[in-house]
Amino acid sequence: MTDSANDTRRHIRLLDTTLRDGEQTQSVSFTPKEKLQIAKSLLQALRVDRIEVASARVSAGEQQAVADINAWAAQEGLLEKVEVLGFVDYTLSVNWVRDAGGKVINLLAKGSEKHCREQLGRTLEQHVDDIRRTVAYAHENGLQVNMYLEDWSNGYRDSREYVYGLVAGVSDIGIRNFMLPDTLGVMTPDEVFEALSDMVDRFPDQRFDFHPHNDYGLATANVMAAVKAGVDTIHCTINCLGERAGNASLAEVAVVLKDKMDVRLSIDETRIAMLSRMVENFSGKWVAANAPIVGADVFTQTAGIHADGDQKGGLYITALRPERFARKRTYALGKMSGKASLANNLEELGLELSDEDQRKVLQEIVKLGDSKALITADDLPFIIADVLERREYRYIELLNCYISSGLDVDSTASIRVTIQGKNYNASGSGNGGFAAFIDAISKILKKRDFVMPALVDYEVHIPRGGNTNALTECIITWRVEEREIKTRGVDANQVLAAVKATLRMINIRMHALIP
């Protein structure tokens, strides 16, 4: 975060509309508790300037969700940062927002003459009168008012005089911000710059927001053009959520504006990844692994030549350092790995090998990569053990495992393991076969003062178009002290794949805990 009294750079504000426009994403619907948690994180952790949390008159449940957000925001002194979209309907939307404890309404006016005429059946003059009446009522009820010009991009192209007349007709009634959306994502950066420069120059006493959409993949580029044209507030969403191709990604917008346009933002960019994961989980819309800033793979070097360059002087490091976003650079292992990739991963794990042993291990990694096997850094000890025919990482071995599951009953597991030559038996139960196994293995490990790490993530993969007897790959992420490790298991049985991944983690930890 760079918001400082001594920072003289131009300040660009961000309005996050994940909870309103983002919820228009196909099949996305946040619960009231999820909305409240996202709102808290946006305003207190990420520290965006404004949030838009809902549309008025949707449902009683939505109104209660908005009321909960407003009640919290009022306690924290943040109520004027919470906004709700409303309609030019005189009292209806205003009353809905007021009754939910809100202080800011964003009126959705028609920014296109065609929309005004064909959808509302109103002339420009009539629409202006309706807006003035609604705004006056909002002010009487203590609300601040911003105004969207819906489909402004097409309206400006097709009926520019209508747009001018609309803004001029309501410019004297205390509208705080005029919000100019590229509703269908049709504009290019040149068109954005020309149109917004015209609006800013023509109405110098008014403040304008820009609300982009990403239908042509130009949302972030259009944001740059908008800021260049003089707009000081940009609308965006977490993970590019939004109707059709989505809105502008907050992560991309924030980083591009800071790095490429040298402006000042209010946000704490170390929280971007955290918000991305939260919204990913709540929305069920998973972020592409190569999505800028927030994708799982964007700070992973795959080519050996890049790992070598980093090792020899940071030759492939840019301003997009993972540490900026509370993330970490990793080096992939696979068929394109080189000595530097292996060396970086060995160093991370605290392992040392001779040059000859490294050569053998690298050969095995490349071989596995050719067979499309997924290799993680935490597979290295097992690859090393296999290649060098060592058994140091076989501290625990599964001798027998019987798991039973049924309908409306807890699953049970009976296991027998050997730990450094001593056999142990245990049984366990849980909500599913894997949970029952964890219960059983935890009882055994407790006898050896071994504490199971927290399970952070659990992924299951099967081949695309695979048969019912296809192998299942299970990747489990564990939190060990201040870092995360991933272990992988493969089996035709999904539960046993998870069991194998768990045993790998235990062996790694047992080795690490040896004095």
Side-chain angles (χ1 to χ4, degrees):
M1 187 179 65
T2 57
D3 193 0
S4 168
N6 298 321
D7 194 334
T8 59
R9 292 175 299 168
R10 180 180 170 200
H11 184 204
I12 301 300
R13 296 169 178 82
L14 299 182
L15 180 151
D16 183 277
T17 183
T18 300
L19 296 176
R20 199 277 297 174
D21 222 6
E23 202 174 25
Q24 292 180 200
T25 307
Q26 170 64 23
S27 75
V28 171
S29 179
F30 299 116
T31 68
K33 289 184 178 180
E34 289 170 346
K35 279 203 162 194
L36 178 60
Q37 185 58 55
I38 293 171
K40 288 180 177 181
S41 297
L42 286 169
L43 289 176
Q44 283 194 323
L46 189 59
R47 299 182 186 176
V48 297
D49 301 281
R50 298 154 58 191
I51 60 173
E52 190 176 45
V53 299
S55 296
R57 299 174 55 197
V58 169
S59 67
E62 186 78 338
Q63 189 175 34
Q64 184 58 54
V66 174
D68 291 343
I69 293 172
N70 285 330
W72 166 81
Q75 290 178 344
E76 300 297 324
L78 300 170
L79 186 55
E80 291 189 358
K81 294 177 179 283
V82 179
E83 305 175 9
V84 177
L85 182 140
F87 305 96
V88 183
D89 53 16
Y90 188 28
T91 63
L92 298 180
S93 291
V94 170
N95 289 346
W96 195 97
V97 175
R98 180 200 63 200
D99 293 347
K103 286 296 182 182
V104 185
I105 186 170
N106 297 336
L107 286 187
L108 187 67
K110 294 300 182 183
S112 158
E113 188 276 335
K114 184 178 181 180
H115 279 217
C116 184
R117 171 172 39 86
E118 296 188 5
Q119 198 168 24
L120 297 183
R122 309 290 278 174
T123 65
L124 170 61
E125 292 74 18
Q126 290 171 325
H127 193 37
V128 166
D129 287 343
D130 293 339
I131 294 169
R132 295 178 72 93
R133 186 176 179 224
T134 302
V135 171
Y137 184 73
H139 287 160
E140 290 170 7
N141 283 271
L143 301 189
Q144 299 180 38
V145 182
N146 303 309
M147 190 178 94
Y148 276 108
L149 277 67
E150 184 188 7
D151 200 31
W152 164 80
S153 49
N154 283 319
Y156 183 86
R157 180 196 63 199
D158 298 335
S159 49
R160 197 168 300 185
E161 293 304 319
Y162 169 89
V163 172
Y164 298 156
L166 178 60
V167 175
V170 296
S171 61
D172 62 337
I173 59 174
I175 292 175
R176 191 173 61 169
N177 296 280
F178 287 91
M179 307 156 98
L180 305 180
D182 182 14
T183 302
L184 299 177
V186 297
M187 300 183 87
T188 67
D190 287 344
E191 291 168 338
V192 170
F193 178 75
E194 178 185 354
L196 289 177
S197 295
D198 178 36
M199 295 294 290
V200 170
D201 291 343
R202 188 173 293 270
F203 300 100
D205 296 330
Q206 304 303 329
R207 293 192 297 185
F208 294 102
D209 299 0
F210 180 56
H211 180 104
H213 279 260
N214 202 40
D215 295 69
Y216 279 93
L218 292 172
T220 302
N222 285 344
V223 165
M224 296 178 72
V227 171
K228 185 178 179 182
V231 169
D232 288 328
T233 299
I234 299 297
H235 295 198
C236 45
T237 61
I238 301 294
N239 296 345
C240 201
L241 286 185
E243 202 165 9
R244 304 182 313 278
N247 293 38
S249 161
L250 182 143
E252 294 180 32
V253 166
V255 172
V256 165
L257 290 181
K258 181 177 179 181
D259 291 2
K260 301 302 180 182
M261 302 195 74
D262 193 31
V263 300
R264 178 167 59 90
L265 302 172
S266 304
I267 68 164
D268 179 353
E269 60 186 15
T270 65
R271 302 304 185 97
I272 290 176
M274 179 272 289
L275 257 296
S276 173
R277 290 192 297 271
M278 177 188 296
V279 171
E280 188 178 40
N281 289 329
F282 289 167
S283 68
K285 295 292 184 179
W286 309 119
V287 174
N290 62 348
I293 315 305
V294 296
D297 295 345
V298 295
F299 296 114
T300 299
Q301 298 281 35
T302 299
I305 190 173
H306 293 160
D308 182 67
D310 286 351
Q311 192 178 56
K312 291 178 177 177
L315 302 182
Y316 294 93
I317 292 175
T318 71
L320 288 177
R321 295 173 180 264
E323 295 80 11
R324 282 178 58 180
F325 312 103
R327 300 189 63 186
K328 192 171 185 179
R329 190 175 305 282
T330 59
Y331 296 89
L333 294 170
K335 65 182 180 180
M336 290 188 287
S337 297
K339 290 188 294 183
S341 298
L342 176 57
N344 280 313
N345 280 283
L346 290 172
E347 182 180 358
E348 177 68 20
L349 293 173
L351 301 175
E352 294 185 9
L353 292 177
S354 67
D355 290 345
E356 177 61 19
D357 288 343
Q358 286 193 43
R359 184 186 65 79
K360 293 178 181 178
V361 170
L362 188 58
Q363 284 180 341
E364 182 65 17
I365 289 170
V366 172
K367 179 182 176 182
L368 289 168
D370 274 334
S371 67
K372 296 186 179 293
L374 173 66
I375 308 167
T376 71
D378 299 300
D379 287 316
L380 264 181
F382 296 94
I383 296 172
I384 293 169
D386 289 340
V387 169
L388 303 183
E389 297 183 348
R390 300 197 322 218
R391 299 185 62 82
E392 284 92 333
Y393 294 94
R394 306 292 184 186
Y395 299 101
I396 182 170
E397 292 186 71
L398 185 66
L399 301 178
N400 193 17
C401 178
Y402 176 78
I403 296 175
S404 176
S405 296
L407 182 64
D408 295 331
V409 295
D410 279 352
S411 297
T412 60
S414 298
I415 64 173
R416 182 160 59 96
V417 301
T418 179
I419 303 177
Q420 294 178 301
K422 185 174 181 181
N423 290 350
Y424 296 86
N425 296 285
S427 60
S429 61
N431 183 20
F434 181 60
F437 169 79
I438 290 293
D439 184 37
I441 197 68
S442 296
K443 292 175 181 177
I444 292 173
L445 295 173
K446 185 177 181 180
K447 299 175 183 177
R448 299 182 64 94
D449 295 324
F450 181 99
V451 179
M452 286 287 287
L455 190 154
V456 176
D457 194 23
Y458 181 106
E459 303 175 43
V460 174
H461 304 277
I462 60 172
R464 187 180 297 275
N467 297 319
T468 55
N469 62 347
L471 287 177
T472 299
E473 176 185 70
C474 180
I475 302 172
I476 303 179
T477 303
W478 312 87
R479 182 171 298 283
V480 179
E481 296 172 350
E482 295 301 317
R483 71 185 187 100
E484 294 180 356
I485 66 171
K486 291 186 178 183
T487 53
R488 167 180 171 268
V490 177
D491 197 274
N493 182 297
Q494 176 181 323
V495 175
L496 290 181
V499 168
K500 291 179 178 180
T502 303
L503 292 173
R504 283 195 166 193
M505 177 277 297
I506 295 170
N507 274 308
I508 290 173
R509 292 300 300 146
M510 284 186 168
H511 182 74
L513 293 171
I514 292 177

